[in-house]
Amino acid sequence: MEVLKVASSSKPNAVAGALAGVIREKGIAEVQAIGAGAVNQAVKAIAIARGYVAPSGINLVCLPSFADVEIDGEVRTAIKFLVKPNE
């Protein structure tokens, strides 16, 4: 599964375009964010991506969860969004 990592400095429109492309190609994507700023950008990107794929008849849904991620030998808690078309 494609994992898109979002930072607080990520541009929501760019992430949304990448997310829409992954959804069209693979049908499902995972978005990971660590920290409040990154989660904010990720949520905005998911909302924008819904608008990108809606004309194709795709209604995206998002399932949030926690994930432990190791960065530089340190375990951090990330928010993981599973993004897929509504079934």
Side-chain angles (χ1 to χ4, degrees):
M1 182 182 323
E2 189 79 23
V3 178
L4 301 173
K5 296 182 180 178
V6 178
S8 59
S9 59
S10 297
K11 305 243 182 288
N13 286 320
V15 176
L19 180 57
V22 170
I23 293 294
R24 286 187 180 111
E25 184 179 312
K26 303 207 173 163
I28 192 167
E30 183 178 305
V31 178
Q32 275 187 4
I34 299 174
V39 170
N40 179 50
Q41 298 303 79
V43 170
K44 286 194 273 188
I46 293 167
I48 294 166
R50 286 191 76 209
Y52 287 169
V53 299
S56 304
I58 301 171
N59 181 30
L60 292 182
V61 293
C62 168
L63 304 168
S65 62
F66 291 105
D68 289 329
V69 179
E70 188 174 330
I71 299 173
D72 297 330
E74 187 179 327
V75 177
R76 307 276 309 268
T77 300
I79 299 290
K80 177 174 76 172
F81 299 98
L82 186 65
V83 183
K84 62 181 189 165
N86 193 15
E87 297 171 355

